[in-house]
Amino acid sequence: MDIRQLQYLVALDEVRHFGDAAARCHVTQPALSMRLRQLEEELGLTLVTRGHRFVGFTAEGERILAWARAVLAAHDGLHAEASVCRGQLVGTLRVGMVPLAGFEPIPLLQQFAAQHADVRFELKSLSSEQILAGLDTNKLDAGFAYADGRHERKYRLLEVADTSMGLLFNRERWSFAAETLDWSDLEKLPLGILSKGMHFRQSVDHALQSAGVEITPLVETDSVEFLVQSVSAGLCCAVMPMGGGLEQRDEALELRPIAGSHTLAPLCLATRRSAPVSALAEALQQFVCERLALTDQ
Protein backbone atom coordinates (compact mmCIF):
# COMPACT_ATOMS: atom_id res chain seq x y z
CA MET A 1 0.00 0.00 0.00
CA ASP A 2 1.24 3.49 -0.80
CA ILE A 3 -0.09 7.03 -0.53
CA ARG A 4 -0.98 7.22 -4.22
CA GLN A 5 -3.49 4.39 -3.91
CA LEU A 6 -5.26 6.26 -1.12
CA GLN A 7 -5.23 9.44 -3.20
CA TYR A 8 -6.83 7.54 -6.08
CA LEU A 9 -9.51 6.15 -3.78
CA VAL A 10 -10.39 9.57 -2.34
CA ALA A 11 -10.35 11.18 -5.81
CA LEU A 12 -12.81 8.56 -7.03
CA ASP A 13 -15.10 9.35 -4.12
CA GLU A 14 -14.99 13.07 -4.88
CA VAL A 15 -15.70 12.89 -8.63
CA ARG A 16 -17.61 9.55 -8.77
CA HIS A 17 -16.15 8.70 -12.20
CA PHE A 18 -13.10 6.59 -13.07
CA GLY A 19 -11.98 8.75 -16.00
CA ASP A 20 -12.37 12.01 -14.11
CA ALA A 21 -10.56 10.59 -11.08
CA ALA A 22 -7.68 9.48 -13.31
CA ALA A 23 -7.49 12.91 -14.92
CA ARG A 24 -7.44 14.59 -11.51
CA CYS A 25 -4.59 12.30 -10.42
CA HIS A 26 -2.72 12.75 -13.74
CA VAL A 27 -2.70 9.04 -14.60
CA THR A 28 -4.48 6.92 -17.17
CA GLN A 29 -7.78 5.28 -16.26
CA PRO A 30 -6.35 1.73 -16.60
CA ALA A 31 -3.49 2.68 -14.27
CA LEU A 32 -5.88 4.06 -11.66
CA SER A 33 -8.16 1.01 -11.87
CA MET A 34 -5.20 -1.37 -11.59
CA ARG A 35 -3.83 0.37 -8.48
CA LEU A 36 -7.26 0.32 -6.82
CA ARG A 37 -7.61 -3.41 -7.53
CA GLN A 38 -4.17 -3.94 -6.00
CA LEU A 39 -5.33 -2.07 -2.90
CA GLU A 40 -8.42 -4.29 -2.72
CA GLU A 41 -6.29 -7.43 -3.04
CA GLU A 42 -3.92 -6.27 -0.32
CA LEU A 43 -6.80 -5.51 2.07
CA GLY A 44 -8.78 -8.58 1.06
CA LEU A 45 -11.88 -6.43 0.52
CA THR A 46 -14.02 -5.21 -2.36
CA LEU A 47 -14.06 -1.43 -2.00
CA VAL A 48 -15.69 -0.30 -5.24
CA THR A 49 -18.92 -1.51 -6.80
CA ARG A 50 -18.27 -1.71 -10.52
CA GLY A 51 -20.56 -2.01 -13.53
CA HIS A 52 -20.04 -0.57 -16.98
CA ARG A 53 -19.15 2.58 -15.05
CA PHE A 54 -18.58 3.64 -11.46
CA VAL A 55 -21.56 2.60 -9.31
CA GLY A 56 -20.44 3.42 -5.78
CA PHE A 57 -18.53 2.12 -2.80
CA THR A 58 -19.30 -0.97 -0.80
CA ALA A 59 -20.02 -0.64 2.92
CA GLU A 60 -16.44 -1.78 3.54
CA GLY A 61 -15.22 0.76 1.01
CA GLU A 62 -16.96 3.60 2.85
CA ARG A 63 -15.22 2.58 6.08
CA ILE A 64 -11.83 2.38 4.38
CA LEU A 65 -12.45 5.78 2.77
CA ALA A 66 -12.70 7.38 6.21
CA TRP A 67 -9.30 5.93 7.13
CA ALA A 68 -7.84 6.92 3.76
CA ARG A 69 -8.86 10.54 4.33
CA ALA A 70 -7.36 10.45 7.82
CA VAL A 71 -4.07 9.06 6.48
CA LEU A 72 -3.95 11.66 3.71
CA ALA A 73 -4.73 14.44 6.17
CA ALA A 74 -1.92 13.20 8.41
CA HIS A 75 0.39 13.00 5.37
CA ASP A 76 -0.43 16.58 4.36
CA GLY A 77 -0.21 17.69 7.97
CA LEU A 78 3.26 16.17 8.30
CA HIS A 79 4.51 18.18 5.33
CA ALA A 80 2.79 21.32 6.59
CA GLU A 81 4.29 20.81 10.06
CA ALA A 82 7.74 20.36 8.53
CA SER A 83 7.29 23.60 6.60
CA VAL A 84 6.32 25.36 9.85
CA CYS A 85 9.51 24.05 11.44
CA ARG A 86 11.41 25.58 8.53
CA GLY A 87 9.67 28.89 9.15
CA GLN A 88 7.18 28.76 6.29
CA LEU A 89 3.71 27.47 5.44
CA VAL A 90 3.25 25.26 2.39
CA GLY A 91 0.23 23.31 1.19
CA THR A 92 -3.42 23.52 0.22
CA LEU A 93 -5.88 24.95 2.73
CA ARG A 94 -9.34 23.43 2.21
CA VAL A 95 -12.00 25.87 3.38
CA GLY A 96 -15.79 25.52 3.35
CA MET A 97 -17.97 28.64 3.34
CA VAL A 98 -21.72 29.06 3.83
CA PRO A 99 -23.24 30.84 0.83
CA LEU A 100 -25.27 33.29 2.93
CA ALA A 101 -23.59 35.26 5.71
CA GLY A 102 -23.27 38.86 6.79
CA PHE A 103 -19.49 38.53 6.61
CA GLU A 104 -17.22 38.22 3.60
CA PRO A 105 -14.26 35.89 4.34
CA ILE A 106 -12.43 36.38 1.03
CA PRO A 107 -10.62 39.60 2.11
CA LEU A 108 -9.28 37.74 5.16
CA LEU A 109 -8.07 34.88 3.00
CA GLN A 110 -6.48 37.40 0.65
CA GLN A 111 -4.55 38.93 3.56
CA PHE A 112 -3.54 35.47 4.76
CA ALA A 113 -2.30 34.60 1.25
CA ALA A 114 -0.25 37.78 1.14
CA GLN A 115 1.67 36.60 4.22
CA HIS A 116 2.05 32.99 3.03
CA ALA A 117 2.88 32.91 -0.67
CA ASP A 118 3.22 29.10 -0.79
CA VAL A 119 -0.28 28.38 0.50
CA ARG A 120 -2.97 27.45 -2.00
CA PHE A 121 -6.72 27.45 -1.38
CA GLU A 122 -9.49 24.99 -2.18
CA LEU A 123 -12.77 26.78 -1.51
CA LYS A 124 -16.19 25.11 -1.37
CA SER A 125 -19.65 26.61 -0.96
CA LEU A 126 -21.47 24.34 1.52
CA SER A 127 -24.14 24.42 4.19
CA SER A 128 -23.05 24.67 7.83
CA GLU A 129 -23.95 21.01 8.35
CA GLN A 130 -21.85 19.97 5.35
CA ILE A 131 -18.91 22.05 6.59
CA LEU A 132 -18.93 20.46 10.04
CA ALA A 133 -19.26 17.00 8.47
CA GLY A 134 -16.33 17.87 6.18
CA LEU A 135 -14.21 18.68 9.23
CA ASP A 136 -15.21 15.37 10.81
CA THR A 137 -14.13 13.37 7.75
CA ASN A 138 -10.99 15.41 6.99
CA LYS A 139 -12.44 16.69 3.71
CA LEU A 140 -11.94 20.23 5.04
CA ASP A 141 -9.31 21.93 7.18
CA ALA A 142 -11.48 24.87 8.23
CA GLY A 143 -14.87 26.37 7.55
CA PHE A 144 -16.90 29.53 7.99
CA ALA A 145 -20.17 28.10 9.33
CA TYR A 146 -23.05 28.90 11.64
CA ALA A 147 -22.22 27.18 14.93
CA ASP A 148 -22.66 27.75 18.66
CA GLY A 149 -21.91 26.28 22.08
CA ARG A 150 -23.49 22.94 21.17
CA HIS A 151 -20.60 22.35 18.77
CA GLU A 152 -17.68 23.44 20.97
CA ARG A 153 -16.92 19.93 22.21
CA LYS A 154 -15.89 18.81 18.71
CA TYR A 155 -14.73 22.06 17.08
CA ARG A 156 -12.67 25.10 17.88
CA LEU A 157 -14.99 28.03 17.17
CA LEU A 158 -13.97 31.62 16.59
CA GLU A 159 -16.98 33.91 16.24
CA VAL A 160 -16.51 36.26 13.30
CA ALA A 161 -19.99 37.78 12.88
CA ASP A 162 -23.42 38.00 14.47
CA THR A 163 -25.66 37.98 11.41
CA SER A 164 -28.77 40.16 11.28
CA MET A 165 -31.31 39.85 8.47
CA GLY A 166 -33.06 42.15 6.05
CA LEU A 167 -35.41 42.09 3.07
CA LEU A 168 -33.78 42.23 -0.35
CA PHE A 169 -36.11 43.70 -2.98
CA ASN A 170 -36.18 45.47 -6.34
CA ARG A 171 -37.05 49.09 -5.56
CA GLU A 172 -38.47 49.53 -9.07
CA ARG A 173 -41.30 47.17 -8.09
CA TRP A 174 -41.69 47.55 -4.33
CA SER A 175 -41.37 50.41 -1.86
CA PHE A 176 -41.63 50.53 1.92
CA ALA A 177 -42.26 53.59 4.07
CA ALA A 178 -40.48 52.25 7.16
CA GLU A 179 -36.69 52.31 7.33
CA THR A 180 -36.82 49.14 9.41
CA LEU A 181 -39.33 46.41 8.58
CA ASP A 182 -41.20 43.97 10.80
CA TRP A 183 -41.75 40.30 9.95
CA SER A 184 -45.44 41.06 9.52
CA ASP A 185 -44.54 43.29 6.54
CA LEU A 186 -43.47 40.17 4.65
CA GLU A 187 -46.72 38.27 5.05
CA LYS A 188 -48.34 39.31 1.75
CA LEU A 189 -45.17 39.57 -0.32
CA PRO A 190 -44.05 37.00 -2.91
CA LEU A 191 -40.98 35.62 -1.17
CA GLY A 192 -37.97 33.64 -2.35
CA ILE A 193 -36.24 31.48 0.24
CA LEU A 194 -33.45 28.96 0.56
CA SER A 195 -34.22 25.26 0.64
CA LYS A 196 -35.04 23.55 3.94
CA GLY A 197 -32.11 22.14 5.89
CA MET A 198 -29.83 25.16 5.47
CA HIS A 199 -29.09 27.10 8.65
CA PHE A 200 -30.14 30.46 7.23
CA ARG A 201 -33.50 28.97 6.21
CA GLN A 202 -33.92 27.50 9.69
CA SER A 203 -33.27 30.95 11.16
CA VAL A 204 -35.86 32.57 8.88
CA ASP A 205 -38.46 29.89 9.65
CA HIS A 206 -37.85 30.28 13.39
CA ALA A 207 -38.20 34.07 13.21
CA LEU A 208 -41.42 33.88 11.19
CA GLN A 209 -42.90 31.32 13.57
CA SER A 210 -41.94 33.40 16.61
CA ALA A 211 -43.61 36.45 15.02
CA GLY A 212 -46.72 34.45 14.19
CA VAL A 213 -46.27 35.07 10.47
CA GLU A 214 -47.07 32.43 7.88
CA ILE A 215 -45.78 32.54 4.33
CA THR A 216 -46.02 30.38 1.22
CA PRO A 217 -42.73 30.88 -0.66
CA LEU A 218 -43.03 31.66 -4.36
CA VAL A 219 -39.44 30.51 -4.99
CA GLU A 220 -37.40 27.90 -3.10
CA THR A 221 -33.83 27.14 -4.15
CA ASP A 222 -30.50 25.92 -2.78
CA SER A 223 -28.69 28.51 -4.92
CA VAL A 224 -28.02 32.02 -3.60
CA GLU A 225 -27.31 33.11 -7.17
CA PHE A 226 -30.76 31.99 -8.38
CA LEU A 227 -32.35 33.74 -5.42
CA VAL A 228 -30.63 37.06 -6.15
CA GLN A 229 -31.47 36.77 -9.85
CA SER A 230 -35.14 36.19 -8.96
CA VAL A 231 -35.15 39.33 -6.82
CA SER A 232 -33.36 41.36 -9.51
CA ALA A 233 -35.98 40.28 -12.05
CA GLY A 234 -38.76 41.42 -9.74
CA LEU A 235 -40.14 37.93 -9.36
CA CYS A 236 -39.94 38.00 -5.57
CA CYS A 237 -38.33 39.51 -2.49
CA ALA A 238 -35.99 37.53 -0.23
CA VAL A 239 -34.73 37.55 3.35
CA MET A 240 -30.96 37.94 3.22
CA PRO A 241 -28.12 38.68 5.66
CA MET A 242 -27.23 42.30 6.30
CA GLY A 243 -23.65 43.25 5.48
CA GLY A 244 -23.11 40.60 2.81
CA GLY A 245 -23.11 43.09 -0.07
CA LEU A 246 -25.79 41.27 -2.07
CA GLU A 247 -27.62 44.53 -2.81
CA GLN A 248 -24.55 45.82 -4.65
CA ARG A 249 -24.99 43.30 -7.48
CA ASP A 250 -27.73 45.38 -9.09
CA GLU A 251 -28.34 49.13 -8.71
CA ALA A 252 -32.10 48.45 -8.49
CA LEU A 253 -31.68 46.26 -5.41
CA GLU A 254 -32.12 47.46 -1.85
CA LEU A 255 -31.64 45.60 1.44
CA ARG A 256 -33.89 46.91 4.22
CA PRO A 257 -33.24 45.67 7.82
CA ILE A 258 -35.82 43.61 9.69
CA ALA A 259 -36.21 44.57 13.35
CA GLY A 260 -34.74 42.18 15.91
CA SER A 261 -33.67 39.61 13.34
CA HIS A 262 -30.63 37.41 13.86
CA THR A 263 -29.55 33.96 12.76
CA LEU A 264 -29.98 31.25 15.38
CA ALA A 265 -26.20 30.86 15.69
CA PRO A 266 -23.33 33.26 14.93
CA LEU A 267 -21.00 32.76 11.99
CA CYS A 268 -17.78 31.14 13.20
CA LEU A 269 -14.47 30.00 11.83
CA ALA A 270 -14.51 26.31 12.75
CA THR A 271 -11.60 23.86 12.89
CA ARG A 272 -11.22 20.37 14.35
CA ARG A 273 -10.34 19.84 17.99
CA SER A 274 -9.23 16.23 17.61
CA ALA A 275 -6.13 15.10 15.75
CA PRO A 276 -5.08 15.35 13.05
CA VAL A 277 -5.32 19.15 13.03
CA SER A 278 -3.79 20.87 10.02
CA ALA A 279 -0.98 23.33 10.72
CA LEU A 280 -2.52 25.48 7.98
CA ALA A 281 -5.86 25.49 9.83
CA GLU A 282 -4.16 26.48 13.08
CA ALA A 283 -2.32 29.28 11.30
CA LEU A 284 -5.57 30.54 9.75
CA GLN A 285 -7.35 30.45 13.13
CA GLN A 286 -4.58 32.47 14.77
CA PHE A 287 -4.45 34.92 11.85
CA VAL A 288 -8.22 35.56 11.87
CA CYS A 289 -8.21 35.94 15.66
CA GLU A 290 -5.50 38.60 15.41
CA ARG A 291 -7.28 40.43 12.61
CA LEU A 292 -10.58 40.49 14.51
CA ALA A 293 -8.78 41.81 17.61
CA LEU A 294 -7.33 44.65 15.53
CA THR A 295 -10.76 45.43 14.09
CA ASP A 296 -12.30 45.64 17.57
CA GLN A 297 -9.70 48.15 18.79
Side-chain angles (χ1 to χ4, degrees), residues 196-212:
K196 288 184 178 295
M198 303 181 77
H199 181 90
F200 196 83
R201 168 65 184 270
Q202 294 170 2
S203 296
V204 173
D205 286 347
H206 180 267
L208 290 169
Q209 184 178 10
S210 298

mmCIF file with all atom_site columns, all heavy atoms in Angstrom, residues 196-212:
data_model
loop_
_atom_site.group_PDB
_atom_site.id
_atom_site.type_symbol
_atom_site.label_atom_id
_atom_site.label_alt_id
_atom_site.label_comp_id
_atom_site.label_asym_id
_atom_site.label_entity_id
_atom_site.label_seq_id
_atom_site.pdbx_PDB_ins_code
_atom_site.Cartn_x
_atom_site.Cartn_y
_atom_site.Cartn_z
_atom_site.occupancy
_atom_site.B_iso_or_equiv
_atom_site.pdbx_formal_charge
_atom_site.auth_seq_id
_atom_site.auth_comp_id
_atom_site.auth_asym_id
_atom_site.auth_atom_id
_atom_site.pdbx_PDB_model_num
ATOM 1   N N   . LYS A 1 196 ? -35.055 24.022 2.554  1.00 0.00 ? 196 LYS A N   1
ATOM 2   C CA  . LYS A 1 196 ? -35.044 23.547 3.938  1.00 0.00 ? 196 LYS A CA  1
ATOM 3   C C   . LYS A 1 196 ? -33.754 22.775 4.227  1.00 0.00 ? 196 LYS A C   1
ATOM 4   O O   . LYS A 1 196 ? -33.188 22.151 3.347  1.00 0.00 ? 196 LYS A O   1
ATOM 5   C CB  . LYS A 1 196 ? -36.252 22.643 4.192  1.00 0.00 ? 196 LYS A CB  1
ATOM 6   C CG  . LYS A 1 196 ? -37.586 23.379 4.247  1.00 0.00 ? 196 LYS A CG  1
ATOM 7   C CD  . LYS A 1 196 ? -38.712 22.435 4.587  1.00 0.00 ? 196 LYS A CD  1
ATOM 8   C CE  . LYS A 1 196 ? -40.045 23.163 4.693  1.00 0.00 ? 196 LYS A CE  1
ATOM 9   N NZ  . LYS A 1 196 ? -40.075 24.128 5.816  1.00 0.00 ? 196 LYS A NZ  1
ATOM 10  N N   . GLY A 1 197 ? -33.312 22.841 5.479  1.00 0.00 ? 197 GLY A N   1
ATOM 11  C CA  . GLY A 1 197 ? -32.106 22.139 5.889  1.00 0.00 ? 197 GLY A CA  1
ATOM 12  C C   . GLY A 1 197 ? -30.903 23.052 6.007  1.00 0.00 ? 197 GLY A C   1
ATOM 13  O O   . GLY A 1 197 ? -29.940 22.714 6.703  1.00 0.00 ? 197 GLY A O   1
ATOM 14  N N   . MET A 1 198 ? -30.932 24.217 5.362  1.00 0.00 ? 198 MET A N   1
ATOM 15  C CA  . MET A 1 198 ? -29.829 25.163 5.465  1.00 0.00 ? 198 MET A CA  1
ATOM 16  C C   . MET A 1 198 ? -30.055 26.049 6.690  1.00 0.00 ? 198 MET A C   1
ATOM 17  O O   . MET A 1 198 ? -31.191 26.410 7.019  1.00 0.00 ? 198 MET A O   1
ATOM 18  C CB  . MET A 1 198 ? -29.730 25.992 4.188  1.00 0.00 ? 198 MET A CB  1
ATOM 19  C CG  . MET A 1 198 ? -29.552 25.142 2.934  1.00 0.00 ? 198 MET A CG  1
ATOM 20  S SD  . MET A 1 198 ? -29.410 26.098 1.412  1.00 0.00 ? 198 MET A SD  1
ATOM 21  C CE  . MET A 1 198 ? -27.718 26.685 1.546  1.00 0.00 ? 198 MET A CE  1
ATOM 22  N N   . HIS A 1 199 ? -28.965 26.384 7.379  1.00 0.00 ? 199 HIS A N   1
ATOM 23  C CA  . HIS A 1 199 ? -29.088 27.097 8.650  1.00 0.00 ? 199 HIS A CA  1
ATOM 24  C C   . HIS A 1 199 ? -29.808 28.425 8.474  1.00 0.00 ? 199 HIS A C   1
ATOM 25  O O   . HIS A 1 199 ? -30.654 28.786 9.310  1.00 0.00 ? 199 HIS A O   1
ATOM 26  C CB  . HIS A 1 199 ? -27.718 27.338 9.283  1.00 0.00 ? 199 HIS A CB  1
ATOM 27  C CG  . HIS A 1 199 ? -27.808 28.047 10.607 1.00 0.00 ? 199 HIS A CG  1
ATOM 28  N ND1 . HIS A 1 199 ? -27.929 27.375 11.794 1.00 0.00 ? 199 HIS A ND1 1
ATOM 29  C CD2 . HIS A 1 199 ? -27.835 29.367 10.918 1.00 0.00 ? 199 HIS A CD2 1
ATOM 30  C CE1 . HIS A 1 199 ? -28.010 28.245 12.786 1.00 0.00 ? 199 HIS A CE1 1
ATOM 31  N NE2 . HIS A 1 199 ? -27.964 29.468 12.279 1.00 0.00 ? 199 HIS A NE2 1
ATOM 32  N N   . PHE A 1 200 ? -29.509 29.158 7.417  1.00 0.00 ? 200 PHE A N   1
ATOM 33  C CA  . PHE A 1 200 ? -30.142 30.458 7.235  1.00 0.00 ? 200 PHE A CA  1
ATOM 34  C C   . PHE A 1 200 ? -31.648 30.289 7.074  1.00 0.00 ? 200 PHE A C   1
ATOM 35  O O   . PHE A 1 200 ? -32.432 31.076 7.607  1.00 0.00 ? 200 PHE A O   1
ATOM 36  C CB  . PHE A 1 200 ? -29.540 31.185 6.036  1.00 0.00 ? 200 PHE A CB  1
ATOM 37  C CG  . PHE A 1 200 ? -29.852 32.654 6.011  1.00 0.00 ? 200 PHE A CG  1
ATOM 38  C CD1 . PHE A 1 200 ? -29.098 33.547 6.749  1.00 0.00 ? 200 PHE A CD1 1
ATOM 39  C CD2 . PHE A 1 200 ? -30.921 33.135 5.265  1.00 0.00 ? 200 PHE A CD2 1
ATOM 40  C CE1 . PHE A 1 200 ? -29.408 34.907 6.744  1.00 0.00 ? 200 PHE A CE1 1
ATOM 41  C CE2 . PHE A 1 200 ? -31.233 34.486 5.259  1.00 0.00 ? 200 PHE A CE2 1
ATOM 42  C CZ  . PHE A 1 200 ? -30.475 35.381 5.998  1.00 0.00 ? 200 PHE A CZ  1
ATOM 43  N N   . ARG A 1 201 ? -32.068 29.243 6.356  1.00 0.00 ? 201 ARG A N   1
ATOM 44  C CA  . ARG A 1 201 ? -33.504 28.973 6.208  1.00 0.00 ? 201 ARG A CA  1
ATOM 45  C C   . ARG A 1 201 ? -34.115 28.633 7.572  1.00 0.00 ? 201 ARG A C   1
ATOM 46  O O   . ARG A 1 201 ? -35.231 29.076 7.884  1.00 0.00 ? 201 ARG A O   1
ATOM 47  C CB  . ARG A 1 201 ? -33.714 27.819 5.221  1.00 0.00 ? 201 ARG A CB  1
ATOM 48  C CG  . ARG A 1 201 ? -35.131 27.235 5.183  1.00 0.00 ? 201 ARG A CG  1
ATOM 49  C CD  . ARG A 1 201 ? -36.156 28.248 4.682  1.00 0.00 ? 201 ARG A CD  1
ATOM 50  N NE  . ARG A 1 201 ? -37.509 27.707 4.744  1.00 0.00 ? 201 ARG A NE  1
ATOM 51  C CZ  . ARG A 1 201 ? -38.099 27.037 3.754  1.00 0.00 ? 201 ARG A CZ  1
ATOM 52  N NH1 . ARG A 1 201 ? -37.447 26.823 2.608  1.00 0.00 ? 201 ARG A NH1 1
ATOM 53  N NH2 . ARG A 1 201 ? -39.338 26.606 3.869  1.00 0.00 ? 201 ARG A NH2 1
ATOM 54  N N   . GLN A 1 202 ? -33.422 27.839 8.364  1.00 0.00 ? 202 GLN A N   1
ATOM 55  C CA  . GLN A 1 202 ? -33.924 27.504 9.691  1.00 0.00 ? 202 GLN A CA  1
ATOM 56  C C   . GLN A 1 202 ? -34.113 28.759 10.537 1.00 0.00 ? 202 GLN A C   1
ATOM 57  O O   . GLN A 1 202 ? -35.092 28.880 11.287 1.00 0.00 ? 202 GLN A O   1
ATOM 58  C CB  . GLN A 1 202 ? -32.958 26.538 10.379 1.00 0.00 ? 202 GLN A CB  1
ATOM 59  C CG  . GLN A 1 202 ? -32.865 25.172 9.715  1.00 0.00 ? 202 GLN A CG  1
ATOM 60  C CD  . GLN A 1 202 ? -31.732 24.334 10.281 1.00 0.00 ? 202 GLN A CD  1
ATOM 61  O OE1 . GLN A 1 202 ? -31.032 24.754 11.197 1.00 0.00 ? 202 GLN A OE1 1
ATOM 62  N NE2 . GLN A 1 202 ? -31.542 23.151 9.732  1.00 0.00 ? 202 GLN A NE2 1
ATOM 63  N N   . SER A 1 203 ? -33.178 29.705 10.405 1.00 0.00 ? 203 SER A N   1
ATOM 64  C CA  . SER A 1 203 ? -33.271 30.954 11.164 1.00 0.00 ? 203 SER A CA  1
ATOM 65  C C   . SER A 1 203 ? -34.471 31.775 10.713 1.00 0.00 ? 203 SER A C   1
ATOM 66  O O   . SER A 1 203 ? -35.192 32.363 11.533 1.00 0.00 ? 203 SER A O   1
ATOM 67  C CB  . SER A 1 203 ? -31.988 31.769 10.999 1.00 0.00 ? 203 SER A CB  1
ATOM 68  O OG  . SER A 1 203 ? -30.873 31.085 11.540 1.00 0.00 ? 203 SER A OG  1
ATOM 69  N N   . VAL A 1 204 ? -34.714 31.827 9.405  1.00 0.00 ? 204 VAL A N   1
ATOM 70  C CA  . VAL A 1 204 ? -35.864 32.569 8.879  1.00 0.00 ? 204 VAL A CA  1
ATOM 71  C C   . VAL A 1 204 ? -37.166 31.922 9.342  1.00 0.00 ? 204 VAL A C   1
ATOM 72  O O   . VAL A 1 204 ? -38.086 32.607 9.803  1.00 0.00 ? 204 VAL A O   1
ATOM 73  C CB  . VAL A 1 204 ? -35.803 32.641 7.339  1.00 0.00 ? 204 VAL A CB  1
ATOM 74  C CG1 . VAL A 1 204 ? -37.076 33.267 6.780  1.00 0.00 ? 204 VAL A CG1 1
ATOM 75  C CG2 . VAL A 1 204 ? -34.589 33.435 6.883  1.00 0.00 ? 204 VAL A CG2 1
ATOM 76  N N   . ASP A 1 205 ? -37.248 30.597 9.225  1.00 0.00 ? 205 ASP A N   1
ATOM 77  C CA  . ASP A 1 205 ? -38.463 29.886 9.648  1.00 0.00 ? 205 ASP A CA  1
ATOM 78  C C   . ASP A 1 205 ? -38.742 30.116 11.129 1.00 0.00 ? 205 ASP A C   1
ATOM 79  O O   . ASP A 1 205 ? -39.890 30.332 11.541 1.00 0.00 ? 205 ASP A O   1
ATOM 80  C CB  . ASP A 1 205 ? -38.310 28.387 9.385  1.00 0.00 ? 205 ASP A CB  1
ATOM 81  C CG  . ASP A 1 205 ? -38.430 28.042 7.903  1.00 0.00 ? 205 ASP A CG  1
ATOM 82  O OD1 . ASP A 1 205 ? -38.866 28.914 7.124  1.00 0.00 ? 205 ASP A OD1 1
ATOM 83  O OD2 . ASP A 1 205 ? -38.075 26.901 7.543  1.00 0.00 ? 205 ASP A OD2 1
ATOM 84  N N   . HIS A 1 206 ? -37.693 30.073 11.953 1.00 0.00 ? 206 HIS A N   1
ATOM 85  C CA  . HIS A 1 206 ? -37.853 30.276 13.392 1.00 0.00 ? 206 HIS A CA  1
ATOM 86  C C   . HIS A 1 206 ? -38.351 31.691 13.683 1.00 0.00 ? 206 HIS A C   1
ATOM 87  O O   . HIS A 1 206 ? -39.249 31.894 14.525 1.00 0.00 ? 206 HIS A O   1
ATOM 88  C CB  . HIS A 1 206 ? -36.523 30.026 14.106 1.00 0.00 ? 206 HIS A CB  1
ATOM 89  C CG  . HIS A 1 206 ? -36.592 30.200 15.593 1.00 0.00 ? 206 HIS A CG  1
ATOM 90  N ND1 . HIS A 1 206 ? -36.300 31.400 16.215 1.00 0.00 ? 206 HIS A ND1 1
ATOM 91  C CD2 . HIS A 1 206 ? -36.927 29.335 16.592 1.00 0.00 ? 206 HIS A CD2 1
ATOM 92  C CE1 . HIS A 1 206 ? -36.435 31.268 17.515 1.00 0.00 ? 206 HIS A CE1 1
ATOM 93  N NE2 . HIS A 1 206 ? -36.824 30.032 17.774 1.00 0.00 ? 206 HIS A NE2 1
ATOM 94  N N   . ALA A 1 207 ? -37.788 32.679 12.991 1.00 0.00 ? 207 ALA A N   1
ATOM 95  C CA  . ALA A 1 207 ? -38.199 34.069 13.213 1.00 0.00 ? 207 ALA A CA  1
ATOM 96  C C   . ALA A 1 207 ? -39.648 34.291 12.793 1.00 0.00 ? 207 ALA A C   1
ATOM 97  O O   . ALA A 1 207 ? -40.416 34.968 13.498 1.00 0.00 ? 207 ALA A O   1
ATOM 98  C CB  . ALA A 1 207 ? -37.267 35.005 12.447 1.00 0.00 ? 207 ALA A CB  1
ATOM 99  N N   . LEU A 1 208 ? -40.041 33.734 11.657 1.00 0.00 ? 208 LEU A N   1
ATOM 100 C CA  . LEU A 1 208 ? -41.416 33.876 11.191 1.00 0.00 ? 208 LEU A CA  1
ATOM 101 C C   . LEU A 1 208 ? -42.397 33.221 12.161 1.00 0.00 ? 208 LEU A C   1
ATOM 102 O O   . LEU A 1 208 ? -43.442 33.788 12.487 1.00 0.00 ? 208 LEU A O   1
ATOM 103 C CB  . LEU A 1 208 ? -41.564 33.256 9.795  1.00 0.00 ? 208 LEU A CB  1
ATOM 104 C CG  . LEU A 1 208 ? -40.884 34.006 8.646  1.00 0.00 ? 208 LEU A CG  1
ATOM 105 C CD1 . LEU A 1 208 ? -40.870 33.151 7.386  1.00 0.00 ? 208 LEU A CD1 1
ATOM 106 C CD2 . LEU A 1 208 ? -41.596 35.341 8.385  1.00 0.00 ? 208 LEU A CD2 1
ATOM 107 N N   . GLN A 1 209 ? -42.034 32.027 12.632 1.00 0.00 ? 209 GLN A N   1
ATOM 108 C CA  . GLN A 1 209 ? -42.901 31.318 13.571 1.00 0.00 ? 209 GLN A CA  1
ATOM 109 C C   . GLN A 1 209 ? -43.030 32.093 14.877 1.00 0.00 ? 209 GLN A C   1
ATOM 110 O O   . GLN A 1 209 ? -44.125 32.201 15.447 1.00 0.00 ? 209 GLN A O   1
ATOM 111 C CB  . GLN A 1 209 ? -42.349 29.918 13.829 1.00 0.00 ? 209 GLN A CB  1
ATOM 112 C CG  . GLN A 1 209 ? -43.231 29.061 14.719 1.00 0.00 ? 209 GLN A CG  1
ATOM 113 C CD  . GLN A 1 209 ? -42.672 27.664 14.906 1.00 0.00 ? 209 GLN A CD  1
ATOM 114 O OE1 . GLN A 1 209 ? -41.546 27.369 14.527 1.00 0.00 ? 209 GLN A OE1 1
ATOM 115 N NE2 . GLN A 1 209 ? -43.466 26.793 15.514 1.00 0.00 ? 209 GLN A NE2 1
ATOM 116 N N   . SER A 1 210 ? -41.916 32.635 15.355 1.00 0.00 ? 210 SER A N   1
ATOM 117 C CA  . SER A 1 210 ? -41.943 33.405 16.610 1.00 0.00 ? 210 SER A CA  1
ATOM 118 C C   . SER A 1 210 ? -42.797 34.660 16.476 1.00 0.00 ? 210 SER A C   1
ATOM 119 O O   . SER A 1 210 ? -43.433 35.098 17.441 1.00 0.00 ? 210 SER A O   1
ATOM 120 C CB  . SER A 1 210 ? -40.513 33.791 17.019 1.00 0.00 ? 210 SER A CB  1
ATOM 121 O OG  . SER A 1 210 ? -39.728 32.639 17.256 1.00 0.00 ? 210 SER A OG  1
ATOM 122 N N   . ALA A 1 211 ? -42.811 35.237 15.255 1.00 0.00 ? 211 ALA A N   1
ATOM 123 C CA  . ALA A 1 211 ? -43.605 36.449 15.019 1.00 0.00 ? 211 ALA A CA  1
ATOM 124 C C   . ALA A 1 211 ? -45.048 36.124 14.658 1.00 0.00 ? 211 ALA A C   1
ATOM 125 O O   . ALA A 1 211 ? -45.868 37.038 14.474 1.00 0.00 ? 211 ALA A O   1
ATOM 126 C CB  . ALA A 1 211 ? -42.965 37.270 13.906 1.00 0.00 ? 211 ALA A CB  1
ATOM 127 N N   . GLY A 1 212 ? -45.374 34.840 14.552 1.00 0.00 ? 212 GLY A N   1
ATOM 128 C CA  . GLY A 1 212 ? -46.722 34.447 14.190 1.00 0.00 ? 212 GLY A CA  1
ATOM 129 C C   . GLY A 1 212 ? -47.072 34.749 12.752 1.00 0.00 ? 212 GLY A C   1
ATOM 130 O O   . GLY A 1 212 ? -48.240 34.979 12.414 1.00 0.00 ? 212 GLY A O   1
#
